[in-house]
Amino acid sequence: MDLALFYFLVLGFAIFMYVLLDGFDLGIGILYPWFNQEGERDHLMRSISHVWDGNETWLVFGGVVLFAAFPAAYAGIASTFYLPIMLMLFALIFRGVAFEYRFKSDTSRPYWDFAFSAGSSIAAFCQGLLLGSIVQGVPVGVDSLSSLHWLTPFSILTGFSVMAGYALLAACYLFMKSRGRIQKHAATLGKRLLLITIFAMVIVSLWTVASQVDIRQRWFSGLNFLWLSPLPIVTLVVAVLAWKDLNNHSAGVVHNESRPFWYAATLFLLAFAGLVVGLFPYLIPRQLTFMDAASPDSSLLFLLPGICIFVPLICAYTLWGYRVFAGKVEDYQEGY
């Protein structure tokens, strides 16, 4: 396999793992205002206390792969989207500090609650904003510090869409990890968020094919839509199955409680596949393909041993961590 294509696949894998894993723990912060009874917020934070920082490993790993394997794309994205990237990083730092201090605070706990929720929401919104801006295309020669080209109606829509998707993942995660009132409330929120997420996916998809000629041709020229039609059809089927599981629990019918989370994860995988279909082989649409952005072969070969060691290592400790803490969340007096 071509080395540049190999690193493109590794980068895609890292991005998807980050979106899936950090998506649901950012979503816990987005859902925070909807859980305000005694002990509920402690329960929410305990549900992710053992995984939240490990999940962010994939963000660091993806950044390293982009920097080392595709330096031209790294330079273009980091400089063009400097303000939203910095805002996202500050929000993640703010959220992480709140996580550490909240369990040890007493009178200041409401401030740390706000920091956790606001940091999670802002980080998720900025990630959606970046996604929408990249899909829309990057103007050539813009001043990254004075231009607000990344702040458009489309990018704002994708920002709120990503927030809704992350909140859906979090609701399904809480449904899987909780009992009693929290689980019931998560099922109710999950149904609403499922409808909002599917509606957002439809609007973003229609807006994209209407405004982006290249993506429209990729999907609709010739028999392409026939070959690609399984993506929207399977998405609809998975959404219906997720709705049925969440709705059956509300009606008192007990099914596999982990299934809605995996349905939500499948929706993200299908959306990611649709995005790759529309943009491939570009890293920055209409400007830079992964072949053009790749480092020389000598650099890619130098990186290869590190990638072959660290990808299995990160996967192994991630799986081990989730296996050790599998099952329902138990509430204790102490923090984590």
Side-chain angles (χ1 to χ4, degrees), residues 76-100:
I77 292 172
S79 60
T80 306
F81 300 108
Y82 182 79
L83 288 177
I85 289 174
M86 291 306 297
L87 184 60
M88 178 190 74
L89 293 178
F90 278 121
L92 289 174
I93 293 170
F94 206 47
R95 175 179 182 268
V97 172
F99 216 107
E100 297 296 334

Side-chain angles (χ1 to χ4, degrees), residues 154 157 161 197-209:
F154 181 77
L157 172 65
S161 301
T197 302
I198 293 298
F199 180 73
M201 288 172 73
V202 171
I203 297 299
V204 168
S205 300
L206 293 176
W207 194 331
T208 301
V209 296

Side-chain angles (χ1 to χ4, degrees), residues 10-11 16 24 38 40 52 70 75 85 96 124 138 152 158 205 227 236 242 249 305 308:
V10 170
L11 179 63
F16 178 71
F24 75 76
E38 181 67 26
E40 285 186 341
W52 74 273
F70 305 106
I85 289 174
V138 180
T152 66
T158 55
S205 300
W227 306 120
L236 183 61
H249 182 270
C308 293

Side-chain angles (χ1 to χ4, degrees), residues 144-204:
S144 60
L145 292 179
S146 62
S147 172
L148 296 177
H149 61 89
W150 42 268
L151 195 61
T152 66
F154 181 77
S155 65
I156 292 172
L157 172 65
T158 55
F160 283 117
S161 301
V162 167
M163 285 181 68
Y166 283 179
L168 170 65
L169 280 172
C172 295
Y173 179 76
L174 286 175
F175 180 77
M176 175 174 63
K177 301 289 284 184
S178 305
R179 302 183 180 92
R181 185 193 176 279
I182 294 179
Q183 188 186 44
K184 184 177 180 182
H185 192 38
T188 304
L189 289 174
K191 287 191 293 182
R192 296 173 187 167
L193 288 163
L194 181 61
L195 293 177
I196 294 171
T197 302
I198 293 298
F199 180 73
M201 288 172 73
V202 171
I203 297 299
V204 168

Side-chain angles (χ1 to χ4, degrees), residues 249-268:
H249 182 270
S250 300
V253 181
V254 178
H255 284 293
N256 189 332
E257 294 174 347
S258 64
R259 216 159 45 193
F261 177 78
W262 294 112
Y263 286 145
T266 305
L267 288 177
F268 268 78

